[in-house]
Every structure is written in structure tokens, then in C-alpha cells.
Amino acid sequence: QVQLVESGGGLVQPGGSLRLSCEASGSRLSISAMGWYRQAPGKQRELVATTINDGNTNYAASVKGRFTISRDNAKNTVYLQMNSLKPEDTAVYYCHAYIRGDYWGQGTQVTVSS
């Protein structure tokens, strides 16, 4: 059973930084892609950033230049470095992995507020 365990959310002031981590476990198969999505209250879940096995990355326009996704394949872990955070980045952030199917973490709350 694949499990994704996220960590690193919290409360931060506008302009601050946070780093999210997500470790995948329970699969012997190669992870094709990992990434982060977010869902704000009353809104649909949206893509934040993804990275696939060939190293390509994809970012939402709203976070490009502020967020950086990276991956440690040896640890089956994906990271999201979030800088210059804005109140509109407030959301529950979900880790996603594609391992011959979609898997999701439980979500971690990120709140950007003064």
C-alpha cells in the first residue's frame, strides 16, 4: 500500500518561507512523477508544481519564480521550497505521486497571514 507522508506546513507571515516535504513508501515500483497541489477554502484543487523522472518540472503561473520543487529519488521524497509567500498561497497542500495510478497525501495546512 503506497503511503505519502507530508510535513512542513504551518503559519508564516507574508514574505516568509516554508519548505514542504513528502516521502513515499510502500511501493517497489518506480515513481513516475511527484508533485504538489493545493486547495483553498471554496476553491477547486489546483496544481502547484510537479516533477517527472526526466527532471522536467512544471509550475503554476502564480508560483513561478517563488516556489521550487525538487526530488530526492534515493529517498522517494519530494520537496517544495516556498519563498515570498503571499496570503493567497493559503491552502491545504497535497502531495501527489503517480505510480501506475494516482496517490495522494493527507494534506498539510499552509497559512500566510500577519
Side-chain angles (χ1 to χ4, degrees):
Q1 181 72 15
V2 175
Q3 283 191 317
L4 302 179
V5 178
E6 301 134 333
S7 61
L11 172 65
V12 64
Q13 292 186 340
S17 298
L18 282 175
R19 189 192 193 210
L20 304 183
S21 301
C22 172
E23 181 179 2
S25 62
S27 175
R28 299 179 180 178
L29 301 175
S30 174
I31 302 174
S32 301
M34 294 189 79
W36 295 91
Y37 290 70
R38 68 186 181 187
Q39 187 166 18
K43 295 188 176 181
Q44 289 189 329
R45 190 174 296 189
E46 63 176 3
L47 179 145
V48 177
T50 59
T51 177
I52 57 177
N53 277 353
D54 63 1
N56 280 340
T57 57
N58 184 39
Y59 293 92
S62 59
V63 307
K64 198 171 291 186
R66 300 187 297 122
F67 292 10
T68 302
I69 190 169
S70 60
R71 184 172 160 183
D72 185 335
N73 290 327
K75 296 181 179 179
N76 284 339
T77 299
V78 65
Y79 305 96
L80 185 68
Q81 178 66 43
M82 305 185 292
N83 298 329
S84 302
L85 282 160
K86 304 175 181 180
E88 50 264 44
D89 294 317
T90 296
V92 177
Y93 283 69
Y94 295 92
C95 177
H96 169 265
Y98 185 81
I99 313 170
R100 295 191 187 179
D102 294 301
Y103 293 91
W104 296 91
Q106 79 284 357
T108 185
Q109 177 70 46
V110 171
T111 302
V112 184
S113 175
S114 56

